[in-house]
């Protein structure tokens, strides 16, 4: 897609796929499924939802309990593949979950009490994104080992509870922040 705003401004966008509003969750996941295999093969992958408020990002990524979205289906496929390959490869999975809110990076798995004063109050950890030879990292970000999809879902629920929330004209339930869940997968051949 090429967008020409005026004689001097041109933007080019490339898409692997585009889906209609009537597309089903399973159909969208089938377009993503091959990258989960690539992930277990050792490649870096990213599943990213972008769009204006109310465009369906959360629905596509999370979905309702009766029709799970891309995140849940991808996790099911990831754990299925790890189990399928268990006789040849031992996998270790860790999860981190952060949000960027008002240009501040927040650890959503850090349960340190915030916004309190007096005894027991704690300063929120100051986190920054750093670029290293291994890619982008956030030193000090909580990483938790996960064994199954239930572990992941519990951590996602915990992180969601810690997200900043602030409504606006477009969506009264918007978090007004950007969240990033990262799963690191290390595989060791055992044969």
């Amino acid at each position: 897609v090429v967008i020409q705003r005026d004689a001097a401004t041109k933007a080019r966008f490339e898409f692997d796929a585009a889906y209609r509003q009537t597309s089903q969750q399973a159909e969208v996941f089938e377009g993503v499924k091959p990258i989960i295999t690539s992930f277990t093969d050792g490649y870096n992958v990213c599943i990213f939802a972008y769009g204006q408020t109310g465009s369906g990002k959360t629905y596509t990524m999370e979905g309702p309990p009766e029709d799970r979205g891309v995140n849940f289906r991808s996790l099911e496929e990831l754990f299925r593949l790890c189990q399928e390959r268990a006789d040849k490869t031992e996998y270790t999975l860790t999860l981190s979950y952060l949000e960027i809110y008002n240009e501040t990076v927040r650890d959503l798995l850090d349960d340190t009490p915030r916004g309190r004063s007096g005894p027991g109050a704690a300063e929120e950890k100051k986190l920054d994104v750093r670029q290293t030879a291994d890619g982008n990292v956030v030193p000090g970000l909580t990483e938790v080992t996960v064994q199954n999809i239930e572990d992941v879902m519990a951590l996602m629920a915990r992180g969601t509870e810690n997200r900043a929330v602030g409504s606006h004209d477009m969506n009264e339930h918007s978090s007004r922040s950007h969240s990033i869940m990262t799963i690191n997968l290390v595989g060791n051949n055992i044969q």
Side-chain angles (χ1 to χ4, degrees), residues 19-93:
Y19 298 93
R20 297 182 180 280
Q21 276 185 308
T22 57
S23 297
Q24 301 296 308
Q25 297 282 38
E27 178 187 355
V28 175
F29 173 67
E30 285 304 313
V32 171
K33 190 175 178 180
I35 71 169
I36 305 305
T37 301
S38 295
F39 183 49
T40 56
D41 288 342
Y43 292 92
N44 292 329
V45 303
C46 177
I47 301 173
F48 183 77
Y50 180 80
Q52 77 176 49
T53 298
S55 64
K57 298 178 301 293
T58 301
Y59 181 83
T60 299
M61 297 303 279
E62 296 177 13
E66 66 278 1
D67 190 20
R68 292 294 190 178
V70 169
N71 277 355
F72 188 83
R73 292 170 191 257
S74 296
L75 291 165
E76 283 183 322
E77 179 66 4
L78 173 61
F79 285 105
R80 187 192 71 73
L81 286 170
C82 288
Q83 184 61 41
E84 181 181 281
R85 298 175 177 192
D87 61 330
K88 296 179 184 168
T89 308
E90 180 180 77
Y91 290 104
T92 303
L93 291 91

Side-chain angles (χ1 to χ4, degrees), residues 96-142:
S96 61
Y97 195 21
L98 66 82
E99 82 172 333
I100 302 169
Y101 180 70
N102 287 335
E103 299 184 28
T104 300
V105 178
R106 297 183 61 236
D107 185 344
L108 293 176
L109 299 180
D110 178 7
D111 292 324
T112 304
R114 296 176 193 88
R116 298 181 190 164
S117 59
E123 283 285 320
E124 188 166 8
K125 285 191 286 188
K126 174 79 171 122
L127 299 173
D128 293 303
V129 178
R130 298 280 182 226
Q131 206 166 27
T132 69
D134 295 325
N136 295 323
V137 297
V138 180
L141 186 64
T142 303

